[in-house]
């Protein structure tokens, strides 16, 4: 006997609805995107990127971080005549002056790195830096007069250096000819570190502070790492390596391509060798440093650029948790074992 | 593949009621509507900053020219064909000019010594290849 044709069909719609919703809708949802804010600070473009932070918290934290960087700039800029550093540079030689604690901290770290790197990093190079004028609003397009350069270099080498004489409260005995301080190769790193601290105090756990290509990373982008390209020293818009980072790490690169001019078919770049008083010719064209803090990475990228490959690698054990990517003038690379990066062909 | 898809479709049709089919059409309409709303984008604009202060926002879809006094001299901002560019005249390195035309959300052109910056905003955020470039 045939079954009646009016048999109830099983209802499919709840199953179909769930299938459709769970297979299609996740693909339609708005992806989480980083929130980026860029401002002109410390004479460069500074970008702060955060990941997955409530809007009000993000806005307040990022504004505070920018304010902190501006505060450091007012303290340590050698361009602003009103900065505390400029005041220090106007102090009479052989005088003893009280130091702002933060300024003392950065100067002390600079002096430490100066000593360990046998002078390759020098925070007391102001006269020479001003003579070459790579960083002014209207940078030089010709090298300085050789006689003038020789005179400044001679004074530089013979002068009695500044001496930090007290910890609490900090003070400094000013060297011959004045303090001659220029913290341009370390203060930006310190400002980045301070910005990161301010973001952390605002409860932000995932962020990236990028000050003109010097940067420090905090956390990750959810499941994904922060992707950092490392500028190719000879090809604009290309990278030589990509670092995928998901932890607190600073990365600073010094290259001969950033500020330079060509005069009589010769290229002059901004990284000066304190020994010769001229642009460093160590056989390296780019040095990337990964370190726990940006202040150390900033100073070391300059120091290792000046030192060259062999001396840099000899000194590296003196700096725990510091890793290097060196680009030689022939374009070949040397990467230390712990440097986080995938090299590009 | 086509045969098995056809078999599956025939199976679903044979096992579904009119109510099931109405439910499927209703669900599809809901999904299409949500796709329409999430896919639409607000208009894009060029935001102009001088000395870190936002001073003006101009629509990217209307041609315009602005000349602003920068710290080193005049800086011109031009909008054309959905893109914008910044041209400085007194800056030694001319980095803003060399940036050329920008049009994607988040892109920036700036003359740092002039204190002038423009940024594209307002559209769906683009996905850059890198979060930053160390240089």
């Amino acid at each position: 006997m045939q079954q009646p044709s009016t048999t109830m069909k099983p209802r499919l719609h709840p199953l179909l609805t769930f299938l459709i919703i769970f297979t299609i809708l996740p693909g339609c949802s708005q992806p989480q995107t980083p929130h980026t804010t860029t401002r002109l600070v410390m004479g460069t473009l500074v970008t702060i990127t955060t990941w997955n932070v409530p809007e009000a918290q993000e806005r307040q934290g990022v504004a505070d971080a920018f304010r902190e960087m501006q505060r450091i700039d007012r303290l340590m800029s050698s361009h602003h005549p009103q900065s505390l550093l400029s005041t220090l540079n106007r102090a009479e030689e052989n005088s003893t002056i009280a130091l702002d604690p933060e300024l003392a901290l950065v100067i002390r770290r600079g002096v430490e790195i100066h000593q360990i790197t046998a002078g390759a990093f020098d925070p007391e190079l102001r006269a020479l830096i001003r003579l070459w004028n790579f960083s002014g609003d209207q940078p030089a397009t010709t090298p300085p007069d050789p006689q003038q350069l020789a005179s400044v270099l001679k004074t530089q080498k013979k002068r009695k250096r500044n001496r930090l004489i007290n910890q609490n409260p900090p003070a400094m005995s000013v060297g011959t000819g004045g303090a001659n301080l220029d913290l341009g190769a370390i203060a930006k790193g310190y400002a980045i570190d301070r910005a990161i601290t301010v973001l952390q105090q605002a409860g932000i756990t995932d962020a990236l502070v990028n000050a003109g290509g010097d940067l420090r990373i905090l956390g990750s982008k959810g499941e994904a790492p922060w992707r950092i390209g490392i500028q190719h020293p000879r090809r604009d818009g290309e990278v030589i390596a990509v670092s995928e980072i998901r932890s607190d790490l600073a990365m600073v690169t010094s290259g001969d391509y950033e500020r330079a001019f060509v005069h009589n078919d010769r290229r002059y770049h901004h990284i000066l060798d304190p020994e010769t008083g001229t642009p460093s010719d160590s056989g390296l064209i780019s040095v990337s440093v990964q370190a726990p803090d940006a202040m150390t990475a900033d100073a070391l990228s300059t120091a290792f650029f000046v030192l060259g490959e062999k001396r840099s690698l000899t000194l590296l054990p003196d700096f725990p948790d510091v890793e290097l990517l060196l680009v030689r003038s022939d374009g070949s690379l040397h990467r230390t074992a712990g440097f986080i990066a995938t090299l590009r062909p | 593949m086509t045969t098995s898809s056809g078999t599956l479709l025939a199976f679903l049709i044979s096992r579904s009621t009119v109510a099931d089919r109405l439910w499927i059409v209703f669900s599809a309409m809901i999904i299409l509507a949500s796709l329409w709303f999430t896919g639409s984008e607000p208009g894009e604009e060029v935001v102009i900053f001088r000395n870190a202060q936002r001073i003006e926002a101009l629509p990217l879809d209307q041609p315009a020219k602005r000349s602003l006094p920068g710290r080193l001299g005049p800086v011109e901002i031009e909008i054309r064909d959905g893109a914008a560019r910044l041209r400085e005249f007194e800056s030694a390195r001319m980095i803003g000019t060399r940036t050329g035309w920008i049009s994607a959300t988040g892109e920036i052109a700036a003359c740092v010594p002039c204190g002038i910056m423009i940024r594209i905003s307002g559209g769906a955020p683009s996905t850059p290849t890198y979060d930053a470039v160390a240089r």
Side-chain angles (χ1 to χ4, degrees):
Chain A
M1 195 172 165
Q2 263 190 326
Q3 292 289 320
S5 61
T6 53
T7 304
M8 289 281 288
K9 289 180 180 177
R11 292 169 64 82
L12 288 176
H13 67 258
L15 173 66
L16 284 169
T17 306
F18 280 117
L19 271 176
I20 290 165
I21 288 173
F22 286 106
T23 55
I24 298 177
L25 277 189
C28 304
S29 64
Q30 290 284 54
Q32 285 182 306
T33 53
H35 192 279
T36 294
T37 311
T38 301
R39 290 193 190 166
L40 293 170
V41 186
M42 306 186 85
T44 190
L45 279 179
V46 178
T47 299
I48 298 181
T49 309
T50 59
W51 176 261
N52 201 23
V53 182
E55 193 182 337
Q57 183 187 2
E58 190 272 343
R59 199 182 307 127
Q60 186 62 50
V62 169
D64 288 347
F66 276 121
R67 259 193 296 276
E68 181 69 355
M69 294 185 87
Q70 284 162 340
R71 187 184 67 81
I72 304 297
D73 191 34
R74 283 195 296 273
L75 214 58
M76 302 186 189
S77 168
S78 53
H79 296 291
H80 301 327
Q82 304 307 319
S83 73
L84 212 52
L85 185 76
S86 296
T87 309
L88 204 59
N89 277 328
R90 288 193 289 270
E92 285 185 21
E93 62 181 10
N94 298 321
S95 61
T96 299
I97 48 169
L99 277 185
D100 169 86
E102 275 186 299
L103 204 48
L105 184 148
V106 175
I107 292 172
R108 184 167 288 113
R109 184 63 175 146
V111 170
E112 279 171 12
I113 293 176
H114 171 79
Q115 288 166 349
I116 299 174
T117 61
F121 174 80
D122 193 347
E124 298 177 29
L125 216 55
R126 182 169 179 265
L128 202 57
I129 290 169
R130 282 169 65 89
L131 182 67
W132 279 91
N133 185 28
F134 281 102
S135 305
D137 283 345
Q138 294 291 355
T141 52
T142 56
D145 170 69
Q147 281 186 334
Q148 204 180 357
L149 177 60
S151 165
V152 169
L153 189 61
K154 188 178 171 188
T155 308
Q156 174 83 30
K157 286 185 172 180
K158 284 178 70 177
R159 72 182 278 275
K160 185 180 79 179
R161 295 181 68 83
N162 303 322
R163 197 159 51 91
L164 291 163
I165 54 174
N166 221 344
Q167 288 270 12
N168 199 13
M172 190 178 85
S173 167
V174 177
T176 316
N180 202 30
L181 285 163
D182 189 306
L183 302 177
I186 189 169
K188 191 157 69 170
Y190 177 69
I192 294 170
D193 291 334
R194 285 297 310 154
I196 286 284
T197 301
V198 168
L199 292 172
Q200 285 176 309
Q201 285 166 349
I204 294 171
T205 54
D206 302 295
L208 166 62
V209 176
N210 175 5
D214 299 347
L215 43 99
R216 185 165 158 186
I217 288 144
L218 200 58
S220 61
K221 292 191 300 178
E223 296 294 309
W226 296 99
R227 276 173 60 80
I228 312 298
I230 299 173
Q231 173 69 45
H232 193 297
R234 290 294 177 263
R235 290 185 220 145
D236 252 4
E238 289 187 32
V239 300
I240 48 164
V242 179
S243 296
E244 296 197 334
I245 299 168
R246 52 175 85 240
S247 58
D248 187 358
L249 190 72
M251 182 150 77
V252 176
T253 296
S254 283
D256 68 352
Y257 49 90
E258 270 293 287
R259 275 170 277 160
F261 61 81
V262 176
H263 179 71
N264 288 342
D265 296 329
R266 188 176 162 195
R267 195 160 175 279
Y268 296 86
H269 64 81
H270 75 290
I271 306 172
L272 300 177
D273 182 344
E275 184 58 32
T276 62
T278 58
S280 169
D281 187 18
S282 66
L284 298 176
I285 57 174
S286 173
V287 172
S288 294
V289 175
Q290 290 178 345
D293 64 276
M295 177 163 62
T296 301
D298 196 4
L300 286 184
S301 66
T302 301
F304 289 147
F305 190 100
V306 170
L307 285 169
E309 180 175 353
K310 195 175 168 191
R311 292 170 71 199
S312 296
L313 295 176
T314 305
L315 282 179
L316 195 58
D318 289 338
F319 298 98
D321 303 320
V322 171
E323 302 289 344
L324 299 181
L325 175 66
L326 309 174
V327 185
R328 305 180 187 102
S329 44
D330 65 1
S332 60
L333 306 174
H334 178 90
R335 176 175 56 157
T336 58
F339 190 93
I340 302 168
T342 305
L343 303 182
R344 285 292 164 91
Chain B
M1 186 74 184
T2 310
T3 311
S4 62
S5 300
T7 311
L8 179 64
L9 191 62
F11 169 77
L12 287 173
I13 290 170
S14 69
R15 301 297 295 255
S16 61
T17 64
V18 173
D20 287 332
R21 289 170 204 158
L22 283 173
W23 189 254
I24 289 168
V25 170
F26 175 72
S27 302
M29 285 170 67
I30 295 286
I31 289 165
L32 285 173
S34 64
L35 273 174
W36 172 262
F37 286 114
T38 55
S40 63
E41 295 170 11
E44 293 180 339
E45 60 184 10
V46 184
V47 185
I48 304 169
F49 297 85
R50 186 168 61 200
N51 300 327
Q53 300 295 315
R54 177 186 164 125
I55 57 167
E56 195 175 8
L58 300 168
L60 200 54
D61 58 358
Q62 291 172 27
K65 258 189 188 179
R66 289 282 187 281
S67 184
L68 298 170
R71 282 200 292 267
L72 296 183
V75 176
E76 189 180 274
I77 290 145
E78 186 179 0
I79 303 169
R80 185 155 37 98
D81 300 329
R85 70 174 172 182
L86 178 151
R87 295 199 305 163
E88 64 255 76
F89 300 97
E90 304 294 338
S91 169
R93 295 163 68 195
M94 306 292 271
I95 288 172
T97 304
R98 281 160 47 200
T99 303
W101 293 96
I102 55 173
S103 57
T105 300
E107 280 193 302
I108 286 170
C111 175
V112 174
C114 302
I116 306 282
M117 176 176 92
I118 59 172
R119 191 185 67 209
I120 306 294
S121 71
S126 55
T127 307
T129 312
Y130 307 110
D131 296 302
V133 175
R135 54 168 62 95

